[in-house]
Amino acid sequence: MELRLRAPAPSSTRGTVVSPTLHRRSSALPIQKRLAGSSISVSRRGAAARSPCSTLMAAAYNTGTADLVDFNWDTLGFQPVPTDFMYIMSCSSDGVFTNGELVPYGPIQLSPAAGVLNYGQGLLEGLRAHRKEDGSVLLFRPEENALRMRIGADRLCMPAPSVEQFLSGVKQTVLANKRWVPPTGKGSLYIRPLLIGSGAILGVAPAPQYTFVVYVCPVGHYFKDGLSPISLLTEEQYHRAAPGGTGDIKTIGNYATVVSAQKRAKDKGHSDVLYLDPVHKKFVEEVSSCNIFMVKDNVIITPLLTGTILPGITRRSIIEIAGNLGFQVEERLIEIDELLDADEVFCTGTAVVLSPVGCIVYHGRRVEYGNGKVGAMSQQLYSALTAIQKGLAEDSMGWSVQLS
């Protein structure tokens, strides 16, 4: 990857993007040495005094080798773990993104009038990188995330990085943090691209400047019990999205609105929340952060994308994998009563991968699936998907991108 990046010139204009204030971590030094002979440059600008938390994390992880950090990979869950570098690229009012750079992972300073802080003008994406046995790293369908971010940006009146810029930022960030990619079978590196309105704005209007950020974090299973079946509580008061809204893009506001219902569900012992449509209140839509499927008489069915459901990349991949395996797949409206009568139910998403559903509670009625075991269809599709993602099976679809 032939790309030399330089730091943007400092700005003295009030109300523009404030230069990132970043905590430098001593654990980044081996990476800087390893990158010294590569075509990727690392900015050393913006270093600040290290916080106590950052100091402790650096002390804990400043061991191991240049290829793999010394870390107890068996303890990985799905929570933040500071890594070495992140990627930042900005654009001004002309809408052109330039001067992307790798910088030490740490806080980003924003104006309190930033568009993302005041009016939620922001998008997020999520994808994973897996380490193969030969040490190389695989990305799964990253161009789909780039395209989805561009669609969301158009909806929120934001400029967006080109597909090439998005992919370059993701690849550079993963390679700079390669020692944080868990060993084969121990997890994956979760990649979080962000696009935010970083410029100051007081009235309701598009922000004058925007920032594209990519950071990474090693993760294990999203749900604490891994592939074990999860429990869903059907939400009867709130709705995740409405027709004509933003339910079909990954805007940050979509996730803030599900936290209350999700917390109530977890307080009752459930894993997550199942949402119904806001008009008829009987058609299944999706879970808080993932799509949903059902299996009936060996037919795989998932809700039709009607504008209120996120077009998940894992969802699309499962549909294509199932079709290649010879299964009948239907995308159509699903009433809640039909879901409760299914043979199997499972969720899909970048974070959850494929999670079987063990029970759903609706109007106080508890319906269980599979006697607490993973269904045969769920297991087959999970195995087929993850084999491609981890490089254990031939990628006849051309989905994987290998980083050496």
Side-chain angles (χ1 to χ4, degrees):
M1 181 167 51
E2 297 295 325
L3 183 62
R4 295 290 297 179
L5 301 172
R6 62 181 179 83
S11 172
S12 60
T13 305
R14 295 179 60 87
T16 59
V17 182
V18 182
S19 299
T21 299
L22 305 161
H23 295 297
R24 185 180 306 282
R25 299 174 57 240
S26 59
S27 59
L29 295 179
I31 300 298
Q32 291 178 354
K33 292 178 181 179
R34 179 161 60 84
L35 293 177
S38 73
S39 60
I40 299 176
S41 63
V42 178
S43 171
R44 289 177 169 80
R45 298 177 63 250
R50 191 181 296 116
S51 69
C53 177
S54 178
T55 301
L56 288 173
M57 295 301 288
Y61 304 139
N62 193 21
T63 54
T65 68
D67 296 321
L68 192 64
V69 72
D70 183 15
F71 187 88
N72 185 357
W73 302 107
D74 292 327
T75 65
L76 273 182
F78 204 90
Q79 63 277 326
V81 175
T83 52
D84 295 322
F85 295 103
M86 61 185 185
Y87 181 85
I88 294 182
M89 181 170 60
S90 300
C91 83
S92 56
S93 56
D94 61 5
V96 178
F97 280 88
T98 56
N99 298 326
E101 61 175 346
L102 285 168
V103 297
Y105 178 93
I108 299 175
Q109 187 175 351
L110 290 172
S111 164
V116 66
L117 299 180
N118 289 262
Y119 302 114
Q121 196 181 23
L123 295 163
L124 59 87
E125 276 296 331
L127 58 159
R128 290 180 184 247
H130 290 271
R131 185 186 294 271
K132 295 176 63 178
E133 291 286 358
D134 63 6
S136 62
V137 175
L138 288 181
L139 302 178
F140 184 71
R141 309 190 77 172
E143 70 286 344
E144 295 295 330
N145 296 91
L147 291 169
R148 188 168 63 182
M149 175 170 277
R150 291 183 62 82
I151 292 172
D154 182 69
R155 174 67 176 84
L156 296 187
C157 201
M158 305 168 71
S162 67
V163 172
E164 293 74 19
Q165 288 175 319
F166 181 102
L167 295 178
S168 177
V170 166
K171 291 176 182 179
Q172 290 186 64
T173 310
V174 172
L175 287 174
N177 294 285
K178 186 178 177 181
R179 69 177 190 150
W180 288 96
V181 182
T184 304
K186 295 294 186 179
S188 61
L189 190 71
Y190 191 81
I191 307 161
R192 172 51 56 81
L194 296 168
L195 179 61
I196 60 174
S198 49
I201 190 79
L202 188 59
V204 179
Q209 290 90 27
Y210 296 87
T211 301
F212 175 64
V213 180
V214 183
Y215 70 91
V216 296
C217 173
V219 297
H221 293 291
Y222 183 80
F223 294 114
K224 62 180 181 179
D225 295 323
L227 191 59
S228 299
I230 63 173
S231 172
L232 299 178
L233 176 64
T234 306
E235 176 57 36
E236 300 175 20
Q237 180 179 0
Y238 298 116
H239 298 283
R240 177 189 166 275
T246 57
D248 60 345
I249 62 173
K250 283 186 76 72
T251 177
I252 58 178
N254 287 350
Y255 298 88
T257 59
V258 305
V259 172
S260 176
Q262 187 182 64
K263 182 181 184 301
R264 286 189 285 107
K266 290 186 175 182
D267 288 344
K268 295 178 181 179
H270 300 283
S271 309
D272 215 323
V273 176
L274 173 65
Y275 286 92
L276 303 180
D277 80 285
V279 178
H280 305 285
K281 300 182 180 181
K282 67 176 182 178
F283 294 111
V284 176
E285 295 223 314
E286 63 178 276
V287 183
S288 298
S289 60
C290 47
N291 297 115
I292 193 163
F293 286 75
M294 61 170 278
V295 181
K296 184 66 175 180
D297 297 330
N298 229 34
V299 177
I300 301 169
I301 311 165
T302 192
L304 181 69
L305 299 178
T306 57
T308 56
I309 298 172
L310 184 73
I313 296 168
T314 310
R315 172 189 181 275
R316 179 177 170 185
S317 301
I318 287 294
I319 290 173
E320 295 181 40
I321 288 173
N324 289 342
L325 291 174
F327 294 110
Q328 179 180 341
V329 182
E330 297 178 0
E331 296 179 72
R332 60 173 175 79
L333 298 179
I334 303 174
E335 291 193 23
I336 181 63
D337 289 337
E338 184 180 6
L339 185 73
L340 298 178
D341 190 45
D343 299 328
E344 290 182 45
V345 177
F346 60 86
C347 301
T348 64
T350 298
V352 305
V353 188
L354 187 152
S355 292
V357 175
C359 80
I360 295 176
V361 174
Y362 174 63
H363 284 336
R365 174 190 172 193
R366 181 185 179 91
V367 175
E368 298 187 351
Y369 307 90
N371 296 318
K373 299 180 181 180
V374 180
M377 182 74 76
S378 301
Q379 182 65 67
Q380 183 176 0
L381 293 173
Y382 172 85
S383 298
L385 172 67
T386 55
I388 296 174
Q389 291 177 330
K390 298 175 182 179
L392 301 175
E394 180 184 357
D395 178 21
S396 60
M397 309 294 288
W399 290 341
S400 300
V401 176
Q402 181 165 314
L403 307 179
S404 58

